[in-house]
């Protein structure tokens, strides 16, 4: 007999609706962005390839909107007797040109071998697939700035100019580039001229009212009717509005729901939300860490090594340890200014906490601490992400 207690009831009716990959049918408060993307991309049905860029902070709905758009647009095209197919590449996971190309080719051939072909050969194979199918193909490069930084922009360039030079060829490939940064920050002129400024859609952070509606929508899908108090959803949306991040709101809803279950309650109330926030499971999840650039991860690895058993460390100590960590990882240590920028960003993300040191100490020394995760856990999480980034 198992020693697990089967809990008699749960607030959740369908927890898969809270999963990271779940794409809602309707993206609340993103009609304008959806319409603009449609206006940019839809002429491909008449004239051939188009490109668009989506930018904005974490949790502003870029990835979900692109996926929803592709699915709906391909139905829209089918209704008009046209064929549109698409592939979404997460460039943080496929952070090299061959890895990104492999992901694209496996859309056509799930058994395409993972080695033995150069990128130009792979592009040629893609060309043949597209010609043979008489379908328009939309490639979504999500988190494309990561690919550009790690592997250069050659592949992005080639995809943006796909078949432009073929005789009488009509461009049968469109590109949607997604990143937190503006394209001008990581692409060169040659590509920017294709992804014109006017084809960039910026995703604002959500305000509390918008997050309220987003959280309500998700609660209706994932929890039983009446299983969450309206006030609890208000509190979730207020907390998440600090960063305008819908993902955080959904994570809070899930954690608060789990706490309600643990406490044997029938509904999620504000206290469960507060506890969920305190657990900060919402703030420092592996997903969140996985989105950080490598050197920020190295800084976190450094602090997790020296802060064990201590309340805080100084920035000077941390910078030194960061240098050591860089050396161990064969990375060039970034300069002082850049290092400070990392600290700033990590602080904004709520991962690091920084305060100016008490009196008697050097004026510009800050004390750093991590609050929401044990040093050991942080270190393990960062190491596993770094080993995957090789
Ligand atoms: N407008 C919205 N309506 C409903 N859910 C949303 C909306 N925007 C974001 N979400 C949800 O919030 C989470 C984060 O969105 P995501 O598209 O991954 O953001 P980004 O790619 O900008 O970081 C996902 O679970 C997504 O379904
Ligand atoms: Mg995303």
């Amino acid at each position: 007999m198992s020693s697990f207690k089967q809990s008699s009831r749960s607030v959740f009716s369908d927890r898969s609706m809270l999963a990271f990959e779940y794409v809602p049918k309707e993206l609340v408060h993103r009609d304008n962005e959806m319409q603009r993307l449609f206006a940019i991309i839809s002429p491909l049905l008449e004239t051939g390839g188009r490109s668009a860029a989506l930018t904005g902070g974490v949790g502003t709905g870029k990835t979900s909107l692109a996926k929803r758009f592709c699915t709906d647009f391909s139905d829209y095209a089918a209704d008009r007797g046209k064929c549109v197919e698409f592939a979404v590449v997460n460039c943080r996971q496929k952070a090299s040109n061959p890895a990104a190309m492999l992901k694209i080719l496996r859309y056509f051939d799930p058994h395409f071998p993972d080695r033995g072909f150069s990128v130009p050969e792979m592009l040629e194979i893609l060309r043949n697939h597209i010609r043979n199918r008489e379908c328009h193909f939309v490639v979504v490069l999500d988190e494309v700035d990561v690919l550009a930084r790690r592997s250069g922009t050659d592949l992005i360039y080639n995809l943006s100019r796909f078949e432009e030079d073929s005789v009488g060829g009509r461009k049968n490939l469109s590109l949607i580039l997604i990143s937190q940064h503006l394209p001008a920050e990581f692409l060169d002129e040659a590509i920017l001229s294709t992804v014109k400024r006017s084809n960039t859609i910026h995703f604002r952070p959500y305000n509390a009212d918008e997050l309220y509606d987003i959280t309500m929508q998700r609660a209706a899908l994932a929890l039983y009717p009446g299983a969450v108090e309206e006030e609890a959803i208000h509190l979730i949306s207020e907390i998440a509005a600090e960063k305008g991040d819908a993902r955080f709101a959904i994570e809070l809803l899930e954690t608060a729901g789990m706490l309600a279950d643990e406490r044997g309650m029938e509904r999620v109330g504000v206290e469960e939300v507060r506890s969920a926030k305190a657990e900060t499971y919402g703030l420092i999840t592996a997903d969140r860490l996985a989105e950080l650039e490598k050197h920020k991860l190295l800084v976190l690895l450094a602090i997790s090594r020296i802060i064990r058993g201590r309340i805080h460390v100084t920035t000077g100590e941390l910078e030194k340890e960061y240098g050591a960590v860089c050396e161990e990882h064969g990375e060039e240590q970034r300069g002082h200014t850049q290092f400070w920028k990392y600290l700033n960003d990590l602080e904004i993300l709520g991962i690091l906490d920084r305060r100016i040191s008490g009196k008697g100490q050097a004026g510009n020394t800050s004390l750093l601490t991590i609050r929401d995760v044990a040093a050991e856990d942080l270190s393990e999480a960062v190491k596993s992400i770094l080993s995957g980034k090789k």
Side-chain angles (χ1 to χ4, degrees), residues 63 142-143 247:
T63 302
D142 196 1
E143 317 248 17
R247 185 176 312 165

Side-chain angles (χ1 to χ4, degrees), residues 233-380:
I233 297 198
H234 270 298
L235 186 57
I236 288 176
S237 50
E238 270 167 33
I239 294 172
E242 281 171 31
K243 305 216 167 62
D245 177 347
R247 185 176 312 165
F248 188 26
I250 293 167
E251 284 169 358
L252 277 175
L253 177 65
E254 182 168 27
T255 311
M258 285 160 59
L259 286 167
D261 280 358
E262 264 171 48
R263 295 172 182 176
M265 303 177 64
E266 281 173 39
R267 15 174 34 197
V268 179
V270 287
E271 289 312 316
E272 282 66 50
V273 175
R274 290 207 175 97
S275 305
K277 169 79 193 324
E279 279 202 0
T280 62
Y281 163 81
L283 276 180
I284 304 181
T285 58
D287 284 343
R288 234 150 238 258
L289 292 176
E291 294 194 338
L292 296 175
E293 60 189 276
K294 188 161 192 182
H295 277 262
K296 289 181 189 163
L297 290 170
L298 295 173
V299 169
L300 289 179
L301 187 57
I303 193 168
S304 72
R305 292 210 311 207
I306 55 176
I307 206 167
R308 262 171 238 205
R310 299 171 53 186
I311 300 178
H312 41 232
V313 300
T314 67
T315 45
E317 284 175 295
L318 180 58
E319 190 164 10
K320 210 168 131 206
E321 185 68 16
Y322 158 68
V325 169
C326 284
E327 205 174 307
E328 285 165 32
H329 283 79
E331 285 285 321
E332 194 180 330
Q333 176 173 4
R334 301 290 190 260
H336 189 65
T337 317
Q338 189 62 44
F339 172 76
W340 271 87
K341 225 180 135 273
Y342 294 148
L343 296 187
N344 243 333
D345 292 352
L346 290 169
E347 193 184 359
I348 291 169
L349 287 168
I351 299 175
L352 279 189
D353 188 43
R354 173 164 49 166
R355 75 195 53 174
I356 304 300
S357 70
K359 38 179 183 314
Q361 287 181 275
N364 64 350
T365 305
S366 307
L367 296 176
L368 299 163
T369 193
I370 44 177
R371 278 173 310 182
D372 301 328
V373 59
E376 177 70 33
D377 296 342
L378 180 62
S379 157
E380 286 309 311

